[in-house]
């Protein structure tokens, strides 16, 4: 029994492998499954995009396919970059520049709401084509400056008050316990066990 995870993002995949390791199923990336697809994520929500990715791969592979659509939502920027997190300023732009740009834009709103969060929607397609979703968030604040070298993407600029650290200063285990992805995948593990009758 195996799960194909429809992602090309290695930062996500590292966390996903760790979170799913006790599920008792082999977890392989799209690449490891020999599937190479350029998927157009033209949905308008995290849920729609997660399902588009999972379904595109499932049509090629069958079996159980999961996908993760996630992003950083900054309230004072009207929810940006949100579902455009990967595409924000173009896929080629470094996260050093993307992160500094978000901090600069948020600084214009100084004194106002610094609240922000990572959101993750997980979609699963079961062997019979049934679709499941789970979604979770990790609440934080836009950091004053980037900090930390763990994780990936926007982790250095999301400050997590309960840890007094950014998401990039947490170990992977600490992050997985509280993260959007950790919580959404734990909920998906429960749904899969229930639906697959184990
Ligand atoms: P796949 O679609 O192949 O999975 P992707 O990176 O394009 O990879 P998304 O469209 O879901 O994935 O975009 C998610 C982006 O949101 C990701 O590239 C990061 O910039 C950001 N992001 C999501 N989760 C994050 C996390 O835990 N830490 C830091 N940044 C995160």
């Amino acid at each position: 029994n195996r799960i194909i995870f429809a992602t090309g993002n290695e930062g996500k995949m590292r966390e996903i492998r760790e979170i799913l390791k006790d599920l008792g199923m082999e977890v392989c990336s799209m690449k490891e499954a020999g599937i190479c697809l350029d998927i157009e994520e033209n949905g308008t929500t995290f849920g729609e995009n997660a399902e588009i990715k999972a379904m595109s791969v499932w049509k090629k592979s069958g079996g159980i396919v999961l996908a993760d659509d996630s992003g950083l939502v900054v309230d004072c920027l009207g929810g940006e970059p949100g579902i455009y997190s990967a595409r924000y300023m173009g896929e080629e732009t470094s996260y050093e520049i993307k992160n500094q740009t978000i901090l600069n834009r948020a600084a214009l709103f100084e004194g106002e709401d610094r609240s922000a969060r990572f959101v993750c929607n997980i979609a699963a397609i079961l062997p019979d084509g049934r679709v499941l979703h789970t979604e979770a968030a990790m609440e934080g604040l836009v950091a004053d400056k980037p900090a930390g070298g763990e994780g990936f993407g926007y982790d250095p600029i999301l400050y997590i008050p309960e840890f007094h650290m950014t998401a990039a200063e947490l170990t992977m285990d600490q992050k997985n316990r509280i993260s959007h992805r950790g919580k959404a995948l734990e909920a998906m593990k429960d749904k899969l066990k229930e639906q697959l009758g184990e």
Side-chain angles (χ1 to χ4, degrees):
N1 231 352
R2 76 166 183 176
I3 290 177
I4 299 177
F5 216 105
T7 182
N9 181 318
E10 286 176 13
K12 280 186 188 178
M13 202 59 212
R14 268 197 304 276
E15 295 178 3
I16 290 162
R17 279 188 208 288
E18 183 63 28
I19 298 162
L20 294 184
K21 75 175 181 205
D22 62 356
L23 191 57
M25 293 173 88
E26 183 197 346
V27 178
C28 62
S29 67
M30 221 156 67
K31 191 165 144 197
E32 289 163 342
I35 295 171
C36 183
L37 274 179
D38 189 22
I39 303 167
E40 196 198 344
E41 296 178 34
N42 54 9
T44 59
T45 61
F46 292 110
E48 283 176 17
N49 282 337
E51 192 167 327
I52 288 167
K53 290 187 265 192
M55 194 53 90
S56 308
V57 170
W58 184 83
K59 284 181 181 158
K60 296 233 162 198
S61 66
I64 303 174
V65 178
L66 267 60
D68 163 314
D69 199 70
S70 46
L72 175 67
V73 175
V74 179
D75 290 330
C76 70
L77 302 181
E80 282 189 49
I83 61 167
Y84 301 105
S85 292
R87 290 164 275 177
Y88 182 65
M89 299 180 75
E91 304 248 5
E92 313 299 292
T93 306
S94 72
Y95 274 92
E96 212 177 311
I97 292 173
K98 292 193 221 220
N99 283 335
Q100 194 55 54
T101 303
I102 289 176
L103 294 191
N104 294 345
R105 289 182 59 201
L108 300 173
F109 296 87
E110 209 178 345
E112 287 194 31
D113 190 7
R114 303 278 296 175
S115 58
R117 67 201 58 76
F118 284 132
V119 176
C120 174
N121 190 291
I122 300 291
I125 319 292
L126 303 189
D128 62 5
R130 262 181 304 160
V131 180
L132 309 174
H133 281 276
T134 58
E135 187 166 303
M138 172 164 69
E139 294 291 334
L141 301 169
V142 177
D144 295 328
K145 53 182 181 10
E150 302 295 317
F152 66 98
Y154 298 101
D155 280 331
I157 60 165
L158 189 72
Y159 179 81
I160 311 299
E162 56 173 315
F163 283 88
H164 306 286
M165 285 182 204
T166 69
E169 294 176 291
L170 301 176
T171 65
M172 184 168 65
D173 283 342
Q174 284 174 323
K175 183 181 167 191
N176 284 347
R177 258 179 258 132
I178 60 164
S179 78
H180 52 317
R181 181 165 299 106
K183 291 185 286 190
L185 277 173
E186 287 299 337
M188 183 55 79
K189 279 202 261 189
D190 292 342
K191 279 201 181 183
L192 285 174
K193 284 178 197 153
E194 197 181 287
Q195 296 293 323
L196 300 169
E198 277 148 51

